[in-house]
Amino acid sequence: MSEDEINNRLSRRLGGDAGDDQDESDDAPSEENAMNAENDVRVRNPWDAERVKSAWNGMTFYLPDAMKDRLDTEYQRLTYECDFEFLKDRHLKPLVIEHGLDAVSEMDPDDVHSALADLEREYSTEV
């Protein structure tokens, strides 16, 4: 599903234009935007960034311990098996997110509900 299709779907569902919260003055460069452009450390191709922590958007998310352990184990496996430098922030996290997003984008609400129930069962711990 394309980004335009998703925006249109969200717009229909939420009863407004998905881009409504964007400032109409975005087309005209402001003094603040010009200053930000001068100080912007982002590169045209994000994969060419020297340091992803300064060039990419940071994001915090939370995982159950067992899921974090699984992510760490997969990172260790790929670091060992790949014949190139494999970094967690530059390679593993984007890979997991992108392929996970591909799978989620194909789900309907019933599939999402079922997948969440499966996750809950798989990662629940008995006290």
Side-chain angles (χ1 to χ4, degrees):
M1 185 178 287
S2 75
E3 192 170 331
D4 287 339
E5 290 171 321
I6 292 170
N7 285 337
N8 289 336
R9 194 170 167 190
L10 285 172
S11 176
R12 285 191 309 271
R13 180 173 285 175
L14 300 175
D17 185 12
D20 277 350
D21 50 38
Q22 290 182 348
D23 198 12
E24 289 181 19
S25 64
D26 284 347
D27 294 339
S30 69
E31 186 176 321
E32 183 179 337
N33 287 344
M35 272 183 26
N36 288 338
E38 289 176 18
N39 297 328
D40 197 3
V41 294
R42 289 181 172 55
V43 292
R44 193 169 303 280
N45 180 347
W47 299 102
D48 291 339
E50 189 173 321
R51 296 184 60 226
V52 297
K53 288 185 179 182
S54 62
W56 294 4
N57 290 310
M59 187 173 198
T60 301
F61 58 96
Y62 302 92
L63 299 171
D65 289 341
M67 192 178 286
K68 182 193 176 300
D69 292 345
R70 184 174 175 212
L71 186 69
D72 291 341
T73 299
E74 193 60 27
Y75 171 65
Q76 291 170 354
R77 181 188 72 81
L78 289 168
T79 300
Y80 177 76
E81 292 180 3
C82 289
D83 61 350
F84 56 89
E85 184 179 39
F86 189 82
L87 303 171
K88 189 181 262 186
D89 287 329
R90 182 181 291 268
H91 302 116
L92 179 67
K93 290 177 182 178
L95 187 66
V96 169
I97 296 295
E98 185 64 23
H99 285 273
L101 286 173
D102 286 346
V104 170
S105 71
E106 298 296 320
M107 293 179 173
D108 63 30
D110 289 336
D111 294 335
V112 170
H113 183 42
S114 177
L116 289 171
D118 290 346
L119 280 177
E120 222 174 289
R121 274 192 302 278
E122 185 173 346
Y123 289 102
S124 67
T125 56
E126 293 185 24
V127 180

